[in-house]
Amino acid sequence: MKFVYSQQDFAMGTRSLLWDITKKYFTVGLIGLTVSDRYASIVSVRGSSMSPAFNPRSDTNDYVLVEKFCLDKYRFSHGDVVVFSSPSNHKEKHIKRIIGLPGDWIGTPNMDDVLKVPEGHFWVEGDNSVSSLDSRSFGPIPLGLIRGRVTHVVWPPQRMGRVERETNQRPLSSLQDRPEFY
């Protein structure tokens, strides 16, 4: 038995194959976008503001896993590393460590006084204070700007692992620990 295909049959088969491939890639893209938007994403860390936690060598960028379940009820703790939109340019994303939660009193070596982190805001700073644009520059950031919490380094392979919460940067005092006259 011999099969003979016409040019029209070939064209129909090619269109059908292209349509099947397009549907599959479109579906995978929508699923990927949904996962990235709602649950988790991978983000490149650029610059040295979070060194040595990220980018300890200046010739490579770390890639980190950002989970977004924390955004459900804004569950964060001192020392969490978060990704947030810049208060001055919403297209820019920053990665910094939470130093102060709402109600905490913050005092830094560069500031002459102590200030209270307002409700609905966080105080964030980079681990490398010499080269970090953070709350010391633009003040407390609103909770609504936070896009997720960094949980793991996923690239380069030799640095893969969980991101530890570090709270030993600077002692904080909560509102209850402050005298009445503050």
Side-chain angles (χ1 to χ4, degrees), residues 45-161:
V45 181
R46 294 191 174 101
S48 62
S49 72
M50 287 299 292
S51 184
F54 305 113
N55 300 341
R57 296 178 27 207
S58 61
D59 61 338
T60 61
N61 287 339
D62 285 356
Y63 288 83
V64 295
L65 178 68
V66 178
E67 66 93 2
K68 300 181 180 183
F69 294 107
C70 58
L71 299 175
D72 184 32
K73 294 188 174 143
Y74 291 103
R75 293 173 288 208
F76 297 98
S77 300
H78 292 105
D80 282 345
V81 177
V82 293
V83 175
F84 61 95
S85 296
S86 168
S88 58
N89 181 355
H90 70 279
K91 293 180 181 180
E92 286 181 14
K93 302 288 187 272
H94 296 282
I95 296 179
K96 305 292 181 215
R97 192 174 302 279
I98 293 178
I99 302 300
L101 299 172
D104 283 344
W105 291 89
I106 301 293
T108 64
N110 302 341
M111 295 169 44
D112 291 335
D113 58 336
V114 176
L115 63 92
K116 181 181 171 190
V117 178
E119 287 302 316
H121 290 73
F122 286 137
W123 189 270
V124 295
E125 292 183 10
D127 290 355
N128 182 0
S129 61
V130 175
S131 68
S132 181
L133 182 63
D134 52 32
S135 287
R136 291 170 295 175
S137 305
F138 47 71
I141 62 161
L143 291 172
L145 294 180
I146 294 186
R147 300 293 169 239
R149 176 182 21 236
V150 176
T151 61
H152 292 81
V153 175
V154 296
W155 192 262
Q158 66 272 20
R159 295 196 21 82
M160 284 178 142

